[in-house]
C-alpha cells in the first residue's frame, strides 16, 4: 500500500499545481504595465503609488508574469519584484466585448532594512476580449495585505488605475 501511495504522490502533486487559465496564449503585459502610468491607492489611510517597470510572461508557465517595479508610500520610494498568476476569466454581463480576469499576486520589497515588506493578494482586470483592439483601456485593481519585514505588522491595501469610491464593493475571486 505504501508503494502505491508513493508512486501516485507525484501525480497528485503535479495535478494540484496545474493552472487551467484559458487565455494562456494572450499577452497581458500591456495591461499590467498600464502604459507606465502606474496605479494609485490606499494603505493605512495613506496614499500608495505602484508602477511596474518590467513585465515578463513566463514561457514555461504562461499564466504567470514576473514583474519589477517601484512603490511610493509615506514619501519613500522602494523597489519590488514579484509574480502575478492569472487564474480565471469570465464574461461581463450585458457587455459581450468585455471580460473579467482574476488572479493572485505577490510583490516582495527588495530593501528589507528600510521599512519594506511583502504585498500579497488578488487582482482583477476588466478589459476588452480583443486584446489588440483600438480600445486599449482596462480597469485593474489589486487588493490584499502588506506585511512589514521588520515589525511583522500587517495592513490592508488596494491600488488601481482608477479611483474606487468604495473598495469593499469590488468583487475578487
Amino acid at each position: 500500500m505504501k508503494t502505491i501511495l508513493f508512486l501516485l504522490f507525484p501525480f497528485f502533486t503535479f495535478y494540484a499545481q496545474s493552472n487551467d487559465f484559458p487565455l494562456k496564449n494572450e499577452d497581458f503585459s500591456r495591461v499590467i504595465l498600464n502604459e507606465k502610468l502606474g496605479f494609485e491607492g490606499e494603505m493605512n489611510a495613506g496614499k500608495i503609488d505602484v508602477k511596474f517597470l518590467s513585465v515578463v510572461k513566463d514561457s514555461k508557465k504562461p499564466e504567470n508574469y514576473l514583474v519589477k517595479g517601484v512603490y511610493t508610500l509615506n514619501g519613500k520610494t522602494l523597489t519590488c519584484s514579484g509574480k502575478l498568476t492569472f487564474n480565471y476569466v469570465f464574461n461581463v454581463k450585458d457587455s459581450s466585448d468585455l471580460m473579467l480576469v482574476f488572479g493572485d499576486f505577490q510583490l516582495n520589497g527588495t530593501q528589507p532594512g528600510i521599512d519594506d515588506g511583502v504585498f500579497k493578494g488578488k487582482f482583477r482586470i476588466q478589459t476588452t476580449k480583443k486584446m489588440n483592439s483600438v480600445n486599449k483601456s482596462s480597469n485593474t485593481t489589486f487588493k490584499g495585505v502588506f506585511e512589514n519585514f521588520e515589525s511583522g505588522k500587517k495592513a490592508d491595501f488596494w491600488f488601481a488605475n482608477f479611483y474606487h469610491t468604495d473598495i469593499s464593493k469590488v468583487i475578487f475571486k
Side-chain angles (χ1 to χ4, degrees):
M1 182 67 173
K2 289 181 183 178
T3 305
I4 293 171
L5 288 175
F6 180 72
L7 292 174
L8 291 175
F9 181 73
F11 172 74
F12 289 119
T13 303
F14 174 76
Y15 181 75
Q17 293 177 353
S18 68
N19 181 322
D20 292 327
F21 183 66
L23 299 177
K24 291 179 182 178
N25 294 328
E26 296 292 338
D27 188 357
F28 287 89
S29 298
R30 179 191 51 75
V31 174
I32 298 166
L33 279 170
N34 192 38
E35 298 183 14
K36 297 197 178 186
L37 295 173
F39 302 88
E40 296 180 355
E42 295 178 2
M43 186 167 101
N44 285 339
K47 184 179 175 188
I48 183 168
D49 294 315
V50 178
K51 183 185 281 190
F52 296 118
L53 304 173
S54 166
V55 177
V56 177
K57 185 175 183 176
D58 188 326
S59 61
K60 293 181 182 177
K61 292 187 176 185
E63 68 275 8
N64 293 334
Y65 289 76
L66 306 175
V67 296
K68 292 182 181 180
V70 296
Y71 71 95
T72 303
L73 179 65
N74 299 327
K76 290 188 227 176
T77 300
L78 303 168
T79 59
C80 61
S81 63
K83 178 173 79 170
L84 281 69
T85 302
F86 286 74
N87 297 321
Y88 308 102
V89 61
F90 298 97
N91 293 322
V92 174
K93 185 178 178 180
D94 300 327
S95 216
S96 62
D97 61 329
L98 295 177
M99 64 181 165
L100 284 172
V101 181
F102 296 93
D104 300 305
F105 75 97
Q106 179 170 328
L107 299 176
N108 302 309
T110 58
Q111 298 116 318
I114 53 172
D115 205 28
D116 207 349
V118 177
F119 296 90
K120 290 182 184 178
K122 305 269 185 197
F123 66 88
R124 165 198 164 121
I125 300 170
Q126 181 174 322
T127 191
T128 59
K129 288 181 180 177
K130 295 180 183 177
M131 297 296 291
N132 295 324
S133 71
V134 175
N135 180 5
K136 295 180 182 180
S137 65
S138 67
N139 293 331
T140 305
T141 304
F142 296 82
K143 181 180 178 184
V145 175
F146 174 83
E147 183 173 359
N148 187 284
F149 284 140
E150 295 173 26
S151 68
K153 289 184 180 179
K154 295 181 179 183
D156 292 335
F157 71 87
W158 68 267
F159 51 88
N161 62 351
F162 65 102
Y163 194 80
H164 290 282
T165 55
D166 188 354
I167 191 70
S168 69
K169 293 183 179 178
V170 178
I171 297 170
F172 290 87
K173 178 130 176 91

